[in-house]
Structures are given as structure tokens and as C-alpha cells.
Amino acid sequence: MINGLKARNLSFQYGAKTALNNVSFEVSKGQFCALLGPNGAGKSTLVSLLTRLLVAPGDGEIHLIGHSLEHSPRNALAALGVVYQQPTLDMDLTVRQNLAYFGALHGLSRKDIRIRSEAALDRLGMLERAGERIRNLNGGHRRRTELARALLHDPKVLLLDEPTVGLDAAARAAITDHVHDLADQGMSVLWTTHLTDEVRDSDHLLVLHQGQILEDGYAGEIRGDLPLQEWFLLRTGDRS
Amino acid sequence: MIIWFRALRAIVGRDFLRFVHQRERFLAALVRPLVWLLVFAAGFRAALGISITPPYQTYITYETYIVPGLCGMILLFNGMQSSLSLVYDREIGTMRLLLTSPLPRWWLLLCRLIGSTIVSVLQVYTFLVIAGVFGITMPPLGYVAVLPGLMMAGLMLSALGLVLSSFIKQLENFAGVMNFVIFPMFFLSSALYPLWKMAESSDLLRDICALNPFTHAVEMIRYLLYLDFSWPALIWVVASTAVFLGMAIWGYDPARGLMKRKTG
């Protein structure tokens, strides 16, 4: 049994087009794993499978802290926090109301939600904006709200699907640093991206290309003497 | 179990907040039946006489006759509107949030149905109050007795909307389906004219109307508003709700690939 995330033999097709082909990997407890792939590599399909929005046919398996997503989806999903690439906040509700809605969907009591929301928002420097409507926040603050929300139920595994899309350099750096800190504190993190500068040498790196895992190891070892950007372009032929 | 009710409270609360924030939607939902009641019905009052048929004990005006049908109209339009919001939710991603909650998916979908139905029923009561101001009233206890009927009819129509939303991938397709669902359902029913009146024109049309679940939802409302009860109407509505809900749960089954779209 693994404490983090384990995926085995995941394949998926959209009609005749193969999106994922026999993808297997593990993310251990306390590990920051960057899933790097060019656009169209299959990252979003993989995220949909990991969150049970799609189900892989065949013998593919996904386990979250030992719970099978197929056989005990409730236990598995309870352990998972997700930040989606697409905005998933209700624009007409406040930051606090968005968090409360999510907390209730995870079965938290009102008191729990209040205490955890304050803590999560404080940790991300969003407490002062808790009463503001999402519509009035900038992109960086919206992302921070989504991250705070994903952490509300104290997940053991955090999945972030290109979470820095559309953010400026400072906001990107802040969120990347914060999530690395979460991994250092024991959370298993899977961070999908097509931006090589978000990956550190000490990160576990998965390279996904045309639906297959090209590389699985530590970023520093994989890239060798080349900058990761250059190595990535050589292997995938993609200009990211 | 308490966890399930926390989710129900949150989903209903969110629907209510969205409703409060969208005042123009509330007004539009009211203007539509009021135009039918105060303009269309007034114009057709002389042309369409309604004889004594159950649950009515006496001759009634045409305005009185179409009130239950217009209550159904509010529930029908709102049921479809809520499915529109589901398509929209799915596109902007909040549906993903709902569906990745660790609660059973059927329960989450049922919570959304209950939320949208409560909002619809509030609008029906507002409509009934305005109709009362214009002198179109029902027996006082009928306003209480009709509540479970409105909830049942609302659930049925919202479940139908849920079925549609599970098969519609884009908002653009939704507009077309609205025209193929809402208008036939409304006009091929007893909302605007009794079935015996329809039979005078065509037995086939009358039979189609009699098979339309919306007809039975309207009749259930009509009977309850007059403190009467129609078992056939209730059975039709309950059975239709079960079928629609089953289809919606099937439609939202992840193994079917509800969110199937290539995003890369």
C-alpha cells in the first residue's frame, strides 16, 4: 500500500484517438511530482481519470492513500484536493461562501468550515478578502482562493491541473513555492504543467508525451547537464 | 447521514443565493405566466367556455382554468432553466466540483433537483399571490394542499432537465432542444385547454396530450388546488420522475464519459 497516489495501466481513447496509453506512476507521501507535458499530451484526460470524472476502461487502477478509486470512490475522493485548470469558483458568491459550499460537499460542519476557512485563507494571505465576491478578485487571488478551498478538508493528496495559467510571474512563484512547502509538510502533490520553470531539480518529474510516460525520475537527474527547458524541447519537439 | 444533509443544505442554499442574485431571471419567470393570465386568458375568455368538470363544482372563467397550467409553466421553464445552469456549470467547472465530492453521485444530483424545485415553488407562490390580487383565487386551504404537488411536479420537470443536460455538450445545442421540449410539452397538455376540448378537434392529439407527463403534473396541481386528489395523475408523475431520475443518473455515470471532451 502506498500513502500517496498510485496509478497503474491507465489508457483512454476518445473515439479512435488515443489520449493515454498504459500510463503508470506513483507519487509518494511528501513528494512534489511535476507532470510535464506539451499541450495535447493527455494531462487533462489524466486529471479527469484521477478525479473520477472519467473512468478508464480495462484493467487500469488508481489508488489514493490505499483506497481504490473504482471500488471505494468515496474514501478515495475524500483524500483528494483538486485545483482545476478551469475556474470552478462561483463568481457571484464571496470567497467565504465558496469555501463553505465546498466544505459542506465534503460533509464538514459549519463550525469546522468556519475554523478551517479562516486558517486556510490566513495561510494564503486571503483572510482580508474573505467577504469579497469572486467576481471582484484578480486572477492571482482567485487561484489562491481555489487552493485554499482545495486544502479545506485536509487532503492527503493534492492535484493541481496547470494552476498557474494566466497568472503573472510573482503570483506564479508564490503559488509554486507554497505548494512545495505543502509537500515538505507531508502532502503528496501532483502538479501538471507545460512550463519547465515551475519544476525544481529535487522534484519528482513525470514527462507525458502523446499519451505515454517518456520519463519518470528526479528532474535534476533527468535533465543531466542541459537546462530542463532545452532537454524538454529536444525530447518532445515542443516549444513551451 | 448528517453529512448528506449538510451537502443538501449547501446545494439548496447555493441555488437560493444564485436565485436572489439573478433578479431579472425571477422577473422573467413571473412575467411569462402573468402575460398569459392577464392578456391571453382575458382575450380568450369569451371564446373558450369551460363546462363543469372535476375538480370544479361550478362553471369557471378561463382565467381560473389556466392558473394550474401556468403554475406548471413556471415549473417547466424553471426545470429547463436549471438544466441550462447545469450545462453552464459543467462548462465553467463548478459541476466538476460537485461531482468530485465524496458523496454518492445520485444524492448530489437529487440535491440539485431539490434546490431548483424549491426555487421554482417560491416563484409559483409569488404568481398565485399576484393572481389573487387580480381576483383569481382558489380555496384558502388549496394553497397549502398544493405544496406537495408542486414539489412533485417540480422534481419531475427538473429531473427531465437533468436528463437533457447530461446529453447536451454545449450551450448552443441547448437552445434547440428547448424548442423541441418545452413548447410541445406545454401546448400538448391540459395546461391551456381541457382534454375533452382537444378531442373535439382530434382524438389523436387528445391521446398524445394524455400521454404527456406534463398534463398529469398540471392535473395534479389543479386537483390539489381545489382540495381534491387524482391518483392517476400522482402515479404518472411519480413514475415519470423515477424514469427521468434514473436516466439522469445513468447520463451522469462517469463510466459513460459525461465529461468526455478532448482538452488535452
Side-chain angles (χ1 to χ4, degrees):
Chain A
M1 190 177 104
I2 182 171
N3 282 324
L5 167 66
K6 181 178 180 181
R8 196 175 67 82
N9 297 344
L10 298 181
S11 298
F12 199 86
Q13 290 190 308
Y14 295 95
K17 182 165 173 50
T18 300
L20 290 176
N21 185 11
N22 212 26
V23 168
S24 299
F25 64 91
E26 287 186 16
V27 183
S28 309
K29 184 178 189 307
Q31 198 170 52
F32 184 105
C33 178
L35 177 72
L36 188 62
N39 291 328
K43 298 191 296 294
S44 292
T45 302
L46 182 58
V47 169
S48 291
L49 291 176
L50 295 174
T51 53
R52 204 170 165 262
L53 291 171
L54 293 175
V55 172
D59 63 348
E61 284 181 1
I62 296 166
H63 285 83
L64 290 143
I65 58 163
H67 299 294
S68 161
L69 194 57
E70 183 186 2
H71 300 299
S72 50
R74 292 174 59 188
N75 287 332
L77 288 173
L80 180 67
V82 189
V83 176
Y84 288 105
Q85 185 180 350
Q86 301 91 339
T88 56
L89 295 165
D90 193 318
M91 305 296 268
D92 289 319
L93 301 187
T94 65
V95 170
R96 192 175 274 123
Q97 286 170 333
N98 268 284
L99 265 62
Y101 175 65
F102 175 83
L105 288 182
H106 278 260
L108 300 178
S109 69
R110 282 180 175 173
K111 186 182 168 193
D112 251 4
I113 289 171
R114 194 173 58 248
I115 294 168
R116 288 170 185 235
S117 296
E118 301 288 303
L121 291 172
D122 191 28
R123 205 159 49 212
L124 284 150
M126 286 293 294
L127 200 50
E128 286 178 6
R129 299 184 177 271
E132 287 187 37
R133 280 198 195 182
I134 300 299
R135 196 176 294 285
N136 299 328
L137 300 180
N138 64 31
H141 287 138
R142 288 181 191 179
R143 270 303 187 206
R144 280 199 255 172
T145 302
E146 291 194 309
L147 184 53
R149 186 182 61 182
L151 299 173
L152 197 67
H153 59 300
D154 197 18
K156 301 291 179 280
V157 179
L158 184 62
L159 173 58
L160 305 100
D161 186 13
E162 308 217 15
T164 57
V165 166
L167 300 186
D168 62 31
R172 278 179 59 204
I175 290 207
T176 312
D177 289 348
H178 186 79
V179 176
H180 273 94
D181 289 346
L182 291 171
D184 290 342
Q185 291 160 26
M187 195 174 285
S188 305
V189 174
L190 181 64
W191 174 289
T192 82
T193 184
H194 63 279
L195 302 169
T196 51
D197 61 349
E198 291 176 354
V199 184
R200 298 177 183 173
D201 277 352
S202 56
D203 292 341
H204 178 189
L205 176 65
L206 296 168
V207 179
L208 187 67
H209 185 49
Q210 294 177 345
Q212 291 185 300
I213 298 284
L214 273 187
E215 292 287 348
D216 182 350
Y218 283 97
E221 294 170 7
I222 289 172
R223 71 175 178 82
D225 294 331
L226 292 174
L228 185 57
Q229 169 88 348
E230 201 176 323
W231 176 90
F232 184 60
L233 288 175
L234 281 173
R235 285 305 305 270
T236 65
D238 183 76
R239 305 218 152 261
S240 46
Chain B
M1 208 59 189
I2 194 168
I3 290 173
W4 293 32
F5 284 99
R6 282 176 186 156
L8 172 64
R9 190 174 59 198
I11 293 169
V12 171
R14 176 172 176 265
D15 270 0
F16 186 74
L17 280 175
R18 282 164 68 99
F19 168 69
V20 169
H21 288 143
Q22 295 174 0
R23 289 187 194 86
E24 59 282 356
R25 183 180 145 192
F26 176 63
L27 284 174
L30 277 179
V31 165
R32 201 179 298 117
L34 284 172
V35 167
W36 279 88
L37 182 68
L38 303 175
V39 180
F40 176 85
F44 278 75
R45 187 178 199 170
L48 293 168
I50 307 293
S51 64
I52 301 172
T53 50
Y56 304 111
Q57 308 285 328
T58 176
Y59 285 103
I60 49 159
T61 62
Y62 185 59
E63 288 100 319
T64 304
Y65 176 80
I66 67 166
V67 163
L70 297 180
C71 292
M73 177 197 243
I74 295 172
L75 298 173
L76 176 64
F77 273 81
N78 271 20
M80 297 302 132
Q81 187 99 36
S82 84
S83 64
L84 175 75
S85 99
L86 279 168
V87 176
Y88 178 66
D89 270 0
R90 209 163 72 205
E91 294 210 333
I92 65 170
T94 46
M95 195 63 181
R96 287 176 175 236
L97 198 69
L98 186 74
L99 296 179
T100 50
S101 155
L103 287 168
R105 192 163 286 191
W106 67 264
W107 175 249
L108 296 166
L109 295 174
L110 187 62
C111 289
R112 278 232 52 173
L113 291 187
I114 294 171
S116 65
T117 300
I118 289 174
V119 167
S120 299
V121 169
L122 285 172
Q123 292 180 53
V124 170
Y125 273 105
T126 310
F127 166 73
L128 287 172
V129 168
I130 297 173
V133 168
F134 283 92
I136 305 158
T137 56
M138 314 291 145
L141 278 178
Y143 292 105
V144 181
V146 78
L147 179 59
L150 292 174
M151 285 297 295
M152 278 303 304
L155 280 176
M156 181 189 84
L157 295 166
S158 297
L160 174 62
L162 202 58
V163 173
L164 295 176
S165 76
S166 71
F167 293 102
I168 297 166
K169 300 285 184 256
Q170 291 175 332
L171 282 172
E172 292 74 22
N173 298 340
F174 192 82
V177 174
M178 294 279 277
N179 285 331
F180 286 102
V181 176
I182 286 192
F183 292 123
M185 240 186 151
F186 183 64
F187 289 112
L188 288 170
S189 78
S190 60
L192 297 179
Y193 14 74
L195 295 191
W196 62 262
K197 200 95 178 166
M198 185 67 102
E200 287 176 1
S201 304
S202 160
D203 284 337
L204 176 65
L205 279 179
R206 191 268 318 271
D207 292 343
I208 293 172
C209 292
L211 289 173
N212 181 356
F214 184 67
T215 294
H216 299 283
V218 170
E219 290 310 304
M220 185 170 68
I221 293 167
R222 189 187 312 282
Y223 273 74
L224 288 170
L225 274 172
Y226 287 88
L227 299 169
D228 205 341
F229 190 73
S230 165
W231 277 106
L234 177 69
I235 291 167
W236 261 94
V237 170
V238 169
S240 303
T241 306
V243 169
F244 294 151
L245 194 54
M247 287 173 71
I249 291 167
W250 181 76
Y252 276 89
D253 179 354
R256 272 197 65 248
L258 153 77
M259 312 297 280
K260 211 179 225 187
R261 60 186 58 194
K262 205 188 159 324
T263 50

